């Protein structure tokens, strides 16, 4: 399916500049949605924006929305739900990803990525020269003029745990080019130099949930952008299955769904490939030997929670001087936030000859040009003849299977039938966290689909005949048992999920939270999708109805997160977005349901989606809400003579007018909602 309502990226700026302004909001002077912390949490933000993406255009189109009628400048048209999902949720997600991986500098530069360095050494040129020529070649493969690539980009191959999203210098909002009706393209949209974050305020730590959460965003977008071909002359998308064998260029075709989107897909793919190479060869840990290295002695290695980075001091292209494990625990959140995105990328790179479901567009991306193909022995049905390789398929497979083994060996408690939240490397803990366990089920669902050769990405719900691997079968078994544990052990007498369980004490926490409901609904729905057992759908429906009945506050226009508190971080907001999507796709009332609670009517779910997004994400006032800033993709164009910093008249400011002396990046901040 084609989820794109328009060409994304900077080539679309001129089309958006004619947008008209509108006024919206749901302000209630008695309710405040105040920012509680200005630090940027990479893991939470990238997770949340992945859920926002999936709850954006793909969800809207699946419900019958015509994406072509959406206009970023016409707020809440044709309906508030259409706009919130098809424009705001989706575009906030895209821009936040670019902010992290291309603009902020929040990590290590792609010029120092392992694939970049290896190719440079082989070619006898500097890393910088190699990366520049590689970008030019990728641009040629998608039909984008190299001169259209944004200036002063900072592509990262791996990202740090956190940073300060408030800019330390003025953003360059001077006019780059004229638009229409007094609007213009500001310099910062084509030159990223003024969008750097302060490196001194970054937490220079490699945390799997952070670089994994970022990879989730990168993989989802790369899969969308490179999932088809396009006509080299018209730039119109072309079904890759209709292309003939042989070079696409000879058929007047280029890689990617369009030239602009294709280029972004190429950059994202290059970043992920370098990331996974670095993870495989540098970040796996052996707790006994206290060593880091290539999968740290293979089957016994795992990704530790935190590795401190000492930088080499290079001003322009900072590289690693040394790495030190500062927290050697294996945390379940880190593992599922690596398992999910690596599964997504594996679905792109998969070259196994036995897999009949391979996307023909992806096959052309990884056929040796522009990205290396895997050795033939690594993609046949004989695992015993595999060889070491640095190609995208092999390195992704290596990381994917190692992370899966760690989840199974260090976190799965077979006796309890549940995942434990942490391990010290040798000894498993005793705590089950409902949110983490539920999302581990979803990560395993994506792993099973990827390893069995089923479609992932936006097509993760499509049926196909899988390869029926041993790893896939093991994942399914753990999914079923963990879902049964949620169903039989974690639901209290009020119909709500409790926050967790202690296997040592043999009892639940006795507490509930919004995150617990999210995790339980996410996990049970995922189990239903894997097993097609209606008992999991029925249980998820009951949980949703109980959550909506007992946790929703009409006064605050939001769910209570714990007790009578409403404190939202990015993980919670992303989870709420996911639950609304699951409700609309799989849990809403149908004619076959024996019971039909009003909260599960499609219109009621959409109303909740809109109200939550307005109140918690955008906020009721210009200086409130989780979304710190926005720009042209959501209609806030720049106009000469207009210094309001809010040309579309909504409740989210432009970058330079957001929190801080010089403005703030378009990311999510934690908030507290109160009367």
């Amino acid at each position: 399916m084609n989820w794109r309502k328009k060409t994304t990226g900077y080539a679309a700026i001129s089309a958006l500049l004619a947008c008209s302004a509108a006024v919206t909001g749901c302000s209630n002077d008695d309710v405040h949605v105040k920012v509680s912390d200005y630090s940027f949490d990479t893991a939470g933000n990238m997770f949340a924006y992945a859920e926002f993406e999936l709850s954006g255009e793909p969800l809207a189109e699946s419900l019958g929305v015509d994406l072509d009628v959406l206009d970023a400048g016409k707020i809440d048209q044709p309906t508030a739900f259409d706009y919130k999902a098809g424009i705001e949720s989706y575009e906030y997600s895209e821009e936040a990803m670019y902010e992290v991986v291309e603009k902020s500098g929040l990590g290590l530069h792609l010029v120092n990525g392992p694939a970049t360095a290896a190719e440079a050494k082989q070619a006898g040129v500097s890393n910088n020269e190699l990366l520049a020529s590689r970008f030019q070649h990728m641009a040629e493969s998608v039909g984008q003029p190299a001169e259209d690539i944004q200036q002063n980009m900072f592509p990262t191959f791996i990202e740090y745990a956190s940073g300060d999203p408030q800019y330390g210098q003025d953003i360059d909002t001077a006019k780059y080019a004229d638009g229409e009706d007094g609007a213009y393209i500001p310099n910062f949209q084509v030159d990223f130099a003024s969008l750097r974050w302060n490196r001194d305020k970054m937490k220079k730590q490699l945390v799997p949930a952070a670089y994994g959460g970022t990879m989730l965003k990168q993989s989802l977008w790369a899969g969308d952008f490179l999932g088809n071909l396009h006509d080299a002359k018209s730039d119109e998308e072309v079904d890759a299955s209709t292309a003939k064998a042989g070079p696409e260029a000879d058929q007047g075709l280029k890689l990617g769904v369009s030239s602009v989107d294709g280029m972004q897909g190429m950059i994202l793919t290059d970043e992920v490939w370098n990331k996974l190479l670095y993870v495989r060869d540098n970040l796996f840990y052996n707790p006994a030997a206290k060593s880091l290295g290539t999968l740290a002695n293979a089957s016994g290695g795992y990704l530790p929670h935190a590795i401190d980075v000492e930088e080499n001091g290079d001003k322009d292209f900072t590289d690693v001087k040394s790495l030190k494990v500062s927290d050697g625990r294996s945390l379940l959140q880190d593992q599922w936030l690596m398992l999910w995105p690596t599964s997504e990328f594996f679905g792109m790179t998969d070259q196994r000859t036995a897999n009949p479901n391979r996307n023909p567009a992806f096959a052309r991306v990884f056929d040796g040009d522009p990205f290396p193909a895997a050795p033939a022995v690594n993609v046949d049905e004989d695992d015993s003849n595999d060889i070491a390789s640095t190609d995208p398929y092999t390195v992704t497979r290596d990381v994917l299977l190692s992370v899966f083994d760690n989840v199974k060996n260090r976190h799965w408690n077979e006796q309890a039938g549940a995942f434990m939240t942490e391990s010290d490397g040798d000894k498993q803990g005793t705590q089950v966290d409902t949110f983490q366990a539920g999302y581990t089920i979803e990560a395993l669902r994506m792993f099973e689909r990827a390893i069995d050769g089923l479609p992932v990405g936006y097509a993760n719900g499509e049926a196909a005949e899988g390869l029926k691997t041993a790893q896939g079968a093991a994942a399914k078994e753990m999914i079923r048992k963990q879902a049964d544990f949620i169903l039989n052990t974690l639901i209290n007498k009020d119909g709500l999920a409790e926050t967790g369980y202690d296997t040592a004490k043999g009892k639940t926490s006795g507490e509930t939270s919004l995150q617990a409901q999210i995790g339980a609904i996410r996990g049970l729905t995922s189990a239903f999708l894997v097993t097609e057992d209606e008992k999991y759908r029925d249980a998820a429906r009951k949980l949703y109805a109980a959550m909506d009945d007992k946790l929703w506050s009409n006064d605050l226009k939001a769910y209570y997160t714990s007790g009578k508190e409403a404190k939202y971080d990015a993980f919670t907001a992303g989870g709420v977005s996911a639950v609304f999507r699951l409700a609309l796709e799989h849990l809403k009332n149908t004619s076959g349901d024996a019971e039909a609670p009003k909260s599960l009517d499609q219109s009621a779910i959409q109303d909740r989606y809109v109200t939550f997004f307005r109140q918690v994400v955008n906020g009721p006032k210009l200086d409130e809400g989780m979304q710190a800033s926005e720009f042209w993709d959501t209609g806030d164009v720049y106009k000469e003579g207009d210094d309001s910093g809010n040309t579309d008249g909504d409740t989210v400011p432009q970058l330079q007018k957001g929190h801080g002396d010089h403005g703030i990046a378009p990311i999510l901040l934690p908030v507290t909602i109160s009367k």
Side-chain angles (χ1 to χ4, degrees):
M1 266 182 132
N2 173 18
W3 301 109
R4 289 158 293 279
K5 65 179 180 291
K6 60 178 177 58
T7 299
T8 57
Y10 295 86
I13 294 173
S14 59
L16 285 170
L17 288 174
C19 295
S20 60
V23 178
T24 190
C26 55
S27 179
N28 179 341
D29 291 338
D30 294 332
V31 178
H32 297 284
V33 186
K34 295 289 189 180
V35 173
S36 55
D37 185 359
Y38 283 97
S39 61
F40 173 81
D41 172 44
T42 307
N45 264 257
M46 294 296 96
F47 159 80
Y49 281 124
E51 294 289 26
F52 280 19
E53 175 185 351
L54 296 171
S55 297
E57 280 189 6
L59 173 63
E61 189 164 54
S62 74
L63 296 174
V65 177
D66 181 358
L67 301 178
D68 290 330
V69 307
L70 299 179
D71 185 330
K74 296 180 179 178
I75 293 175
D76 289 348
Q77 299 298 320
T79 73
F81 173 79
D82 297 348
Y83 186 86
K84 291 288 181 285
I87 296 288
E88 289 187 332
S89 185
Y90 197 66
E91 304 297 0
Y92 287 164
S93 168
E94 185 179 17
E95 289 309 326
M97 174 185 67
Y98 292 142
E99 183 73 25
V100 171
V101 305
E102 291 185 359
K103 303 173 183 179
S104 65
L106 186 67
L108 298 171
H109 200 291
L110 185 60
V111 77
N112 293 314
T116 306
E119 288 185 32
K121 183 177 181 180
Q122 184 177 21
V125 298
S126 69
N127 289 15
N128 194 35
E129 289 175 302
L130 187 285
L131 188 61
S133 65
R134 182 152 181 74
F135 270 38
Q136 290 175 343
H137 182 64
M138 290 191 296
E140 180 182 341
S141 74
V142 300
Q144 183 183 28
E147 58 268 23
D148 287 351
I149 299 173
Q150 284 73 41
Q151 302 170 37
N152 290 301
M153 188 185 295
F154 194 115
T156 51
F157 76 85
I158 198 159
E159 296 74 32
Y160 288 148
S162 63
D164 182 358
Q166 294 178 311
Y167 298 115
Q169 62 285 322
D170 288 340
I171 302 171
D172 189 357
T173 59
K175 183 168 70 175
Y176 171 78
D178 287 319
E180 299 178 19
D181 300 325
Y184 68 89
I185 302 168
N187 285 334
F188 78 81
Q189 292 185 193
V190 294
D191 184 338
F192 297 162
S194 67
L195 301 179
R196 292 288 186 274
W197 295 10
N198 187 336
R199 293 196 74 80
D200 292 336
K201 295 183 178 181
M202 294 177 185
K203 189 173 185 178
K204 296 168 185 174
Q205 211 171 56
L206 299 180
V207 173
Y211 58 75
T214 307
M215 181 166 59
L216 179 58
K217 289 292 304 130
Q218 292 168 307
S219 297
L220 287 171
W221 283 102
D224 184 31
F225 289 160
L226 297 178
N228 238 335
L229 304 176
H230 68 277
D231 185 275
K233 291 183 178 179
S234 68
D235 209 35
E236 291 296 317
E237 187 170 351
V238 174
D239 186 344
S241 66
T242 65
K244 301 175 183 177
E248 54 274 354
D250 293 349
Q251 305 173 59
L253 301 173
K254 292 289 186 180
L255 298 175
V257 298
S258 69
S259 57
V260 171
D261 286 351
M263 186 61 199
Q264 290 292 358
M266 287 291 167
I267 295 172
L268 293 169
T269 298
D270 206 38
E271 291 170 341
V272 173
W273 175 32
N274 277 269
K275 190 198 310 283
L276 286 169
L277 262 173
Y278 193 78
V279 168
R280 184 189 72 174
D281 294 344
N282 296 276
L283 302 185
F284 276 82
Y285 181 55
N286 182 318
K290 305 294 183 185
S291 61
L292 288 168
T294 302
L295 296 181
N297 304 324
S299 61
Y302 64 93
L303 296 171
H305 176 57
I307 296 177
D308 293 339
V309 176
E310 182 183 3
E311 296 182 339
N312 67 353
D314 187 302
K315 183 176 182 297
D316 296 317
F317 302 112
T318 304
D319 201 1
V320 174
K321 180 179 179 181
S322 66
L323 298 173
K324 179 183 178 182
V325 176
S326 55
D327 189 336
R329 293 176 299 161
S330 177
L331 299 188
L332 188 58
Q333 178 169 279
D334 289 331
Q335 306 309 314
W336 69 255
L337 261 173
M338 276 297 294
L339 187 67
W340 181 0
T342 312
S343 299
E344 298 282 3
F345 197 65
F346 185 82
M348 288 181 63
T349 64
D350 191 359
Q351 295 160 48
R352 290 172 295 175
T353 55
N355 182 7
N357 302 312
R358 193 173 181 214
N359 183 323
F362 295 155
R364 291 177 178 273
V365 173
F366 299 101
D367 63 359
D369 184 19
F371 292 97
V377 293
N378 286 9
V379 297
D380 63 18
E381 296 185 61
D382 182 4
D383 293 342
S384 67
N385 64 1
D386 291 355
I387 60 175
S389 178
T390 60
D391 68 275
Y393 166 79
T394 302
V395 69
T396 307
R397 179 202 63 186
D398 291 348
V399 173
L400 180 65
L401 293 179
S402 293
V403 174
F404 173 72
D405 284 346
N406 186 54
V407 169
K408 184 174 64 173
N409 296 331
R410 283 193 170 85
H411 292 277
W412 177 247
N413 184 320
E414 177 65 29
Q415 183 176 358
F419 292 102
M420 301 300 112
T421 304
E422 69 175 75
S423 165
D424 65 5
D426 296 317
K427 184 179 179 183
Q428 189 180 81
T430 64
Q431 297 295 319
V432 179
D433 181 286
T434 308
F435 180 83
Q436 305 298 340
Y439 264 97
T440 302
I441 292 178
E442 172 61 9
L444 283 170
R445 182 178 80 88
M446 299 310 300
F447 169 80
E448 185 274 324
R449 292 189 67 86
I451 205 68
D452 282 352
L454 301 172
V456 292
Y458 290 177
N460 73 77
E462 293 181 8
E465 187 64 29
L467 299 178
K468 296 181 171 59
T469 65
Q471 295 99 330
K476 284 183 175 181
E477 185 66 13
M478 288 187 286
I479 286 171
R480 182 183 292 276
K481 289 181 177 179
Q482 177 64 82
D484 286 342
F485 184 90
I486 293 173
L487 193 60
N488 299 326
T489 306
L490 293 177
I491 311 300
N492 68 17
K493 60 181 177 58
D494 293 325
L496 294 172
E498 297 200 14
T499 58
Y501 183 88
D502 188 327
T503 58
K505 297 179 180 178
K507 64 179 184 179
T508 59
S509 64
E511 300 174 344
T512 63
S513 69
L514 180 58
Q515 277 201 357
Q517 313 319 306
I518 292 167
I521 293 169
R522 196 72 163 97
L524 290 168
T525 307
S526 296
F528 164 68
L529 295 175
V530 171
T531 66
E532 298 183 348
D533 190 330
E534 289 286 340
K535 74 177 181 181
Y536 299 125
R537 177 179 179 270
D538 291 343
R541 280 169 47 81
K542 289 178 181 177
L543 268 171
Y544 182 95
M547 175 190 75
D548 199 70
D549 177 52
K550 299 178 186 302
L551 300 187
W552 181 261
S553 167
N554 283 321
D555 289 339
L556 300 183
K557 294 186 175 66
Y559 292 108
Y560 291 119
T561 53
S562 179
K564 292 301 181 181
E565 290 184 339
K567 296 181 177 180
Y568 283 84
D569 61 8
F571 275 106
T572 307
V576 171
S577 174
V579 165
F580 288 146
R581 180 178 76 252
L582 297 179
L584 288 167
E585 290 178 332
H586 307 294
L587 306 180
K588 66 186 176 186
N589 294 326
T590 67
S591 58
D593 291 316
E595 297 180 0
K598 290 184 179 180
S599 61
L600 280 167
D601 286 343
Q602 179 169 323
S603 59
I605 303 166
Q606 288 178 309
D607 284 347
R608 282 284 189 262
Y609 183 117
V610 170
T611 301
F612 177 84
F613 213 89
R614 280 176 174 165
Q615 184 78 338
V616 181
V617 179
N618 288 350
K621 302 179 179 67
L622 200 58
D623 61 347
E624 297 185 3
M626 297 187 74
Q627 185 67 31
S629 66
E630 66 174 353
F631 57 109
W632 64 269
D633 253 344
T634 47
D636 222 329
V637 299
Y638 286 75
K639 296 184 177 182
E640 295 186 74
D642 189 332
D643 190 42
S644 68
N646 186 30
T647 58
D648 60 359
D650 65 4
T651 59
V652 182
Q654 292 176 342
L655 275 64
Q656 78 283 357
K657 291 291 188 177
H659 315 253
D661 294 337
H662 305 282
I664 194 167
I667 50 81
L668 294 171
L669 296 168
V671 297
T672 298
I673 308 175
S674 61
K675 289 197 71 173

